[in-house]
């Protein structure tokens, strides 16, 4: 396997991946010609697959016109068109769009807009943003303060203002029926309790992923949860922020995941699949009334050099057109149902699989030591890293995280591009099955006997 020569680049401690040569559709090839099925769309980014010719052509045409225009000097046609298209896809009333370059920037923008709205409306005492644990909302310090994932946040705690957290609605771990609205209300009412504990007059917003991302492994909320948190936020004048950085863009079978529950936030953020990896792009979309409050009070004290970059916006617009014309939301729903059903069948072959969850093509499975108690595998076994490496050797890319707050538990996101078909489902399932068999063969002898 050809590897990159000694480099001045660094990303993380783990090394040893091959050099990428090319990518097309759902596949990627290294410089030695080995093919990999991109079973996680990178980091749940490449929603429409790699090297789409229509998107590339749209980018080429824009490059011939301009690749940069500073937002305070010029308005650009791609930005205006993409903003209009995004607003048309968002819930009614959310028609003001602010472009950024990624998910962390989008979350930072949302909490800053929310804070400035509070100041503009005479409620400067509101500053607390409640989030869930576990959760992940970005790597910048503002977004990290909202994140409930201690391995990522603990080193920076002295640099951040702590923000209140409530438990994520992981009904499967608590032995509750996720299909019972009483379960959803049980978890949602924790938000109301936290608002009252903190003092409603101090709470600015609640941020939530409608379908969970990496920290909870495609967690789908229990019945009644999304509607109840909307009611609670409205009751106490708390802004509701939907983090659709990962779930937005059609991956769950709807363009925005919250459409599954017919609920609307006051502010939403999107990135990743928004431009599907063709250019760095994200957006914050907000209610017109919030934006007008802030603009009338002196303007939005926030911004990024590359916000509304015309090349990125041209790419994003072409991606949205591809999603629409190829009906990729419907394909994501259809192929997602098949893939989830096949992952569930693997539970009959592998006692290690304790849960399969998700919506559309944002799916995950979780490994456990005991399916009855859902006790996690011993953390020192490092299964969340090892299975990814085995699958990678087998030509399948999946994405892992620690399930239980970042320190133990092992879940794996399976989220191939929305252009996937039945043959790709079979290939993914074969790769997961084979990789799990290899992992099981490596487990300590006492665990292997127990299985």
């Amino acid at each position: 396997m050809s590897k990159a020569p000694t480099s001045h680049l660094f990303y993380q401690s783990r090394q040893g991946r091959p050099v990428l040569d090319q990518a097309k559709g759902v596949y990627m090839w290294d410089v030695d010609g080995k093919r990999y099925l991109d079973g996680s769309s990178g980091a749940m980014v490449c929603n429409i697959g790699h090297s789409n010719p229509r998107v590339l052509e749209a980018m080429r045409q824009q490059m011939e016109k301009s690749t940069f225009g500073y937002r305070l000097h010029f308005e650009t046609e791609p930005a205006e068109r993409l903003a209009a298209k995004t607003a048309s896809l968002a819930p009614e009333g959310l028609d003001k769009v602010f472009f950024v370059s990624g998910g962390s920037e989008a979350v930072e923008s949302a909490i800053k807009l929310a804070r400035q709205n509070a100041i503009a409306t005479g409620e400067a005492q509101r500053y607390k943003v409640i989030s869930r644990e576990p959760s992940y909302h970005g790597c910048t310090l503002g977004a990290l303060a909202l994140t409930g994932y201690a391995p990522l946040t603990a080193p920076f705690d002295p640099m951040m203002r702590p923000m209140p957290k409530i438990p994520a609605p992981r009904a499967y771990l608590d032995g509750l029926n996720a299909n019972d609205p009483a379960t959803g209300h049980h978890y949602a009412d924790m938000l109301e309790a936290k608002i009252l504990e903190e003092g409603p007059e101090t709470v600015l917003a609640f941020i939530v992923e409608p379908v969970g991302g990496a920290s909870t492994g495609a967690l789908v909320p229990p019945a009644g949860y999304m509607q109840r948190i909307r009611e609670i936020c409205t009751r106490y004048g708390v802004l509701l922020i939907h983090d659709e950085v990962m779930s937005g863009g059609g991956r769950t079978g709807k363009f925005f995941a919250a459409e599954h529950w017919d609920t609307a936030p006051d502010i939403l953020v999107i990135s990743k699949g928004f431009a599907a990896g063709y250019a760095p792009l994200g957006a914050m979309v907000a209610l017109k009334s919030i934006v007008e409050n802030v603009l009338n009070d002196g303007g939005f004290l926030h911004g990024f050099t590359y916000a509304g970059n015309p090349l990125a916006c041209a790419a994003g617009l072409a991606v949205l057109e591809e999603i629409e014309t190829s009906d990729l939301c419907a394909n994501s729903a259809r192929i997602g149902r098949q893939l989830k059903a096949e992952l569930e069948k693997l539970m009959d072959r592998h006692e290690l699989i304790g849960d399969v969850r998700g919506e559309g093509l944002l799916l995950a499975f979780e490994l456990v030591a005991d399916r009855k108690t859902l006790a996690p595998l011993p953390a020192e076994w490092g299964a969340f890293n090892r299975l990814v490496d085995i699958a990678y050797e087998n030509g399948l890319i999946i994405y892992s995280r620690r399930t239980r707050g970042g320190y133990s538990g092992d879940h794996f996101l399976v989220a191939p591009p929305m252009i996937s078909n039945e043959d790709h489902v079979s290939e993914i399932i074969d790769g997961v099955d084979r990789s799990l068999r290899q992992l099981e063969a490596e487990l300590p002898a006492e665990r292997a006997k127990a299985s």
Side-chain angles (χ1 to χ4, degrees):
M1 179 179 71
S2 297
K3 298 180 181 179
T6 301
S7 172
H8 295 289
L9 289 170
F10 81 96
Y11 298 107
Q12 58 187 31
S13 59
R14 297 176 67 217
Q15 303 294 330
R17 296 302 191 210
V19 178
L20 176 65
D21 179 41
Q22 60 179 305
K24 186 173 183 179
V26 304
Y27 296 107
M28 308 180 80
W29 288 264
D30 66 25
V31 293
D32 290 329
K34 181 176 179 179
R35 191 183 76 173
Y36 305 82
L37 194 156
D38 190 2
S40 63
S41 301
M44 287 59 71
V45 174
C46 303
N47 283 16
I48 68 165
H50 301 272
S51 303
N52 181 285
R54 288 170 291 279
V55 176
L56 296 180
E57 179 57 29
M59 295 177 71
R60 287 189 193 98
Q61 290 181 16
Q62 181 58 43
M63 289 171 69
E64 293 176 356
K65 293 182 177 180
S66 68
T67 58
F68 180 77
Y70 186 47
R71 64 189 177 88
L72 298 183
H73 294 165
F74 290 96
E75 294 182 2
T76 68
E77 182 182 356
E80 291 296 324
R81 291 179 61 201
L82 180 58
K85 184 65 176 178
T86 304
S88 73
L89 294 167
E92 185 177 356
L94 277 78
D95 56 3
K96 293 297 182 181
V97 181
F98 185 88
F99 290 122
V100 296
S101 297
S104 297
E105 289 184 2
V107 170
E108 288 281 332
S109 302
I111 59 177
K112 282 190 173 183
L113 181 70
R115 172 60 181 163
Q116 290 179 60
N117 177 68
I119 295 171
T121 55
E123 294 188 292
Q125 72 277 11
R126 291 187 185 265
Y127 69 91
K128 298 173 184 175
V129 180
I130 299 174
S131 58
R132 307 191 304 188
E133 196 165 25
S135 64
Y136 180 74
H137 294 290
C139 64
T140 53
L141 288 179
L144 204 59
L146 311 180
T147 291
Y149 205 80
L152 296 177
T153 60
F156 309 103
D157 282 344
M159 304 171 70
M160 301 185 293
R161 179 185 287 275
M163 288 292 169
K165 308 287 191 301
I166 62 171
R170 297 187 293 178
Y172 74 101
L173 285 182
D174 295 332
L176 299 177
N177 180 4
N179 296 317
D180 185 350
T183 299
H185 295 170
H186 163 72
Y187 288 106
D189 288 347
M190 294 178 184
L191 171 61
E192 183 171 30
K194 180 60 70 173
I195 291 172
L196 294 172
E197 177 187 333
E198 296 291 333
E201 72 283 355
T202 70
V203 179
L204 176 66
F206 175 55
I207 187 168
V208 61
E209 291 180 298
V211 174
S215 63
T216 56
L219 180 69
V220 177
Y225 180 82
M226 294 298 293
Q227 297 90 339
R228 185 80 148 205
I229 62 171
R230 174 67 273 182
E231 294 169 2
I232 291 169
C233 286
T234 300
R235 184 181 311 147
Y236 292 99
V238 172
L239 295 180
L240 177 59
I241 302 171
H242 282 180
D243 181 346
E244 296 244 20
V245 167
M246 188 176 294
S247 59
R251 176 157 291 284
T252 69
K254 304 283 188 181
F255 189 81
F256 289 111
E259 295 175 43
H260 292 287
W261 299 277
D262 194 26
T263 58
D266 302 295
I267 302 172
L268 67 80
V269 296
I270 185 173
S271 187
K272 291 187 180 285
F274 192 42
Y278 289 86
L281 183 67
M284 170 186 67
V285 191
L287 289 171
K288 181 180 180 180
S289 58
I290 294 174
V291 172
E292 287 182 343
N293 288 338
V294 172
L295 295 182
N296 291 337
D297 196 49
F300 190 27
L301 306 177
H302 181 65
F304 301 98
T305 299
Y306 292 98
N309 175 269
L311 181 57
C313 288
L317 186 61
V319 166
L320 296 192
E321 290 174 349
E322 187 69 16
I323 291 171
E324 190 171 70
T325 58
S326 298
D327 202 12
L328 293 185
C329 289
N331 192 65
S332 185
R334 181 177 64 86
I335 295 298
R337 286 191 294 270
Q338 295 180 17
L339 180 56
K340 186 177 182 182
E342 293 299 319
L343 287 170
E344 289 170 342
K345 289 179 184 178
L346 288 181
M347 297 179 76
D348 295 333
R349 299 180 225 169
H350 302 280
E351 286 292 327
L352 285 179
I353 303 178
D355 191 51
V356 173
R357 54 184 177 267
E359 193 72 50
L361 284 173
L362 180 55
L363 301 172
F365 63 93
E366 182 170 340
L367 301 187
V368 296
D370 186 310
R371 192 178 286 176
K372 291 182 179 178
T373 66
L374 296 180
L377 296 172
E380 62 270 19
W381 291 1
F384 82 111
N385 277 331
R386 184 60 188 136
L387 184 62
V388 168
D389 289 344
I390 293 171
Y392 199 85
E393 293 164 4
N394 289 329
L396 174 64
I397 301 173
I398 55 178
Y399 194 99
S400 70
R401 277 292 184 270
R402 289 290 203 191
T403 301
R404 319 295 170 96
Y407 290 113
S408 67
D410 311 273
H411 67 246
F412 304 84
L413 285 155
V414 184
M418 293 158 54
I419 61 171
S420 298
N421 59 33
E422 291 84 353
D423 290 339
H424 301 136
V425 169
S426 297
E427 190 174 344
I428 290 168
I429 293 301
D430 288 346
V432 171
D433 185 22
R434 181 158 28 110
S435 300
L436 280 170
R437 281 189 272 112
Q438 291 177 241
L439 176 70
E440 288 163 347
E442 294 180 2
L443 295 181
E446 60 271 21
R447 177 62 186 84
K449 291 177 183 177
S451 297

